[in-house]
Amino acid sequence: MSVINTIIGLGAAVMMPIIFFVVGLIFRLGIGKSFKAGMTVGVGFVGVNMVINLLLDNLGPASKAMVNRLGMHLTVVDVGWPTASTIGWGTPIMAAVVVGFLIINAIMVVLKLTKTVDVDIFNYWIFLQVGATVFAVTKNFWFSTVFVWIIFAIVLKVADWSAPYIQKEYKLSGISFPHLAGMMWSPLAIGVNWVIDRIPGLKKVDFNAEKIQKRFGAFGEPVVLGFILGLIIGILAAYSPAKAISLAINVAAAMVLLPKMIGVLLEGLITVRDAAEKQLKKWFPNREFFIGMDTALLIGEPSVLASGLLLIPVAIVLALILPGNRMLPFADLASLTFLLALVTPFVRRNMFKMLITGAISIVIILYVGSYIAPYVTQSAVTSNIKLPADFTGISNMTGAVSGWVGWIAVEAGKLFNLI
């Protein structure tokens, strides 16, 4: 665990090259090629993180300006995924959960219960935060640990099932996404898609990046679309013209650069994946395997980025008008794009359906986040997170605790307490 903690502390950009270098060696890619592939993945992650940070650093203040402009004073604060990640990695059940994940994944692969080899260790925090919340409810180490182990096993199975749809829509192969926070909204996307396809008129509404580009020419290009969306957000934030234009240009830059950086990352990933596929076919004939990855690989899709940007004002308006809501969208507003990464394949990149799904997701997040805030706050205290004195409750929008998974986790914990 000391080794694992040290590697995780270095961040994904350092951790992933190490993992892929080791994986390359295991699958007999050779030291030189393994090192190159690992470094390429690392460079890709650095590039992706730089662009994402560019986007978040510019959208974050704009989102907060919109919140302040509307004078929203809600008692449960969205503290963002970085704080949520720290809560997860700081929970007392962390060591047992992480070791359990590695063992569970290995056993399921050997017993043919999953095709997914999950190397996305950095995002274990999403599961860990759920476990930390259950622990806050029950104070029971083993119930919280086993509960998260079960969720992890289920997620691996769902990742197998969803992989063909994702691979087809994103033109990827050999990859799955056991990402609990994104996967949580895939069933909702399937439901929204089914309902809208049965409503005359609405079923013909279809907006995606390619159709917008085809219809509007240069004005439908990602760079122009990003500029327009950034400018709209700047105006809603009451920015000065110069500041709004600066925001618009930075958003446009992210729309163009993010897919290119993801392309670099995929170059290294594909090298290792091909070697792994070749060797695994020798070891396990007639079997298929997927490498489990982060949804950061998917948010470079223009439809995902554009829809995520549009969800920012939607989230603020919903928080303002929903009766009984106590949760203030804040730190994670700029990260709403991640909610849509695993929605996209099931609505065929239709931005209209993505926005509907995203809006419903936010309604659920706000109500669940309001309800479970005391337990999330307690989990932060247990993980030794120092919160500002004026925080009466916390949650976060892009993890799993503020979705239906978090609600089930809290209710399961309460039921355990009654037994």
Side-chain angles (χ1 to χ4, degrees), residues 187-199 203 346-348 353 357:
L188 178 60
I190 294 169
V192 168
N193 188 69
W194 187 88
V195 171
I196 291 179
D197 280 352
R198 282 155 181 77
I199 300 176
K203 66 180 181 180
F346 301 100
V347 297
R348 297 181 297 277
K353 293 178 180 178
T357 306

Side-chain angles (χ1 to χ4, degrees), residues 84 87-93 97 125-139 144 148 375-376 378-380 382-383 401:
I87 293 171
W89 288 112
T91 179
I93 68 173
V97 169
W125 73 263
I126 299 170
F127 297 94
L128 287 166
Q129 191 196 10
V130 173
T133 305
V134 176
F135 185 74
V137 176
T138 64
K139 301 296 188 293
S144 307
V148 184
Y375 309 107
V376 178
Q378 181 57 45
S379 71
T382 304
S383 297
V401 292

Side-chain angles (χ1 to χ4, degrees), residues 79-227:
V79 293
W81 72 263
T83 300
S85 172
T86 306
I87 293 171
W89 288 112
T91 179
I93 68 173
M94 185 272 289
V97 169
V98 171
V99 172
F101 283 176
L102 298 174
I103 294 172
I104 289 167
N105 199 172
I107 291 173
M108 289 181 69
V109 167
V110 171
L111 296 180
K112 300 182 180 180
L113 296 175
T114 186
K115 300 175 182 178
T116 296
V117 179
D118 187 8
V119 302
D120 187 23
I121 296 173
F122 185 77
N123 279 318
Y124 279 1
W125 73 263
I126 299 170
F127 297 94
L128 287 166
Q129 191 196 10
V130 173
T133 305
V134 176
F135 185 74
V137 176
T138 64
K139 301 296 188 293
N140 186 287
F141 183 94
W142 285 111
F143 177 81
S144 307
T145 300
V146 173
F147 183 86
V148 184
W149 283 349
I150 292 170
I151 291 177
F152 181 72
I154 293 171
V155 166
L156 290 178
K157 295 294 293 183
V158 177
D160 291 345
W161 169 80
S162 61
Y165 299 95
I166 298 168
Q167 291 171 8
K168 179 181 178 182
E169 201 62 47
Y170 285 99
K171 297 179 175 60
L172 297 170
S173 62
I175 300 173
S176 65
F177 294 89
H179 192 276
L180 177 60
M183 183 183 291
M184 183 168 58
W185 305 113
S186 296
L188 178 60
I190 294 169
V192 168
N193 188 69
W194 187 88
V195 171
I196 291 179
D197 280 352
R198 282 155 181 77
I199 300 176
L202 282 184
K203 66 180 181 180
K204 295 181 179 180
V205 179
D206 186 7
F207 297 110
N208 63 46
E210 287 82 3
K211 291 184 178 180
I212 292 173
Q213 185 175 337
K214 184 176 180 180
R215 181 168 183 177
F216 295 102
F219 287 97
E221 294 279 354
V223 64
V224 179
L225 187 61
F227 180 85

Side-chain angles (χ1 to χ4, degrees), residues 344-362:
T344 308
F346 301 100
V347 297
R348 297 181 297 277
R349 291 187 293 168
N350 185 332
M351 290 172 60
F352 173 69
K353 293 178 180 178
M354 289 166 69
L355 285 170
I356 297 296
T357 306
I360 296 173
S361 301
I362 289 169

Side-chain angles (χ1 to χ4, degrees), residues 227 231 234-235 238-249:
F227 180 85
L231 191 62
I235 293 171
Y239 276 4
S240 67
K243 198 172 180 181
I245 291 172
S246 177
L247 172 64
I249 291 173

Side-chain angles (χ1 to χ4, degrees), residues 355-372:
L355 285 170
I356 297 296
T357 306
I360 296 173
S361 301
I362 289 169
V363 171
I364 295 170
I365 287 168
L366 292 175
Y367 279 126
V368 173
S370 298
Y371 172 64
I372 69 170

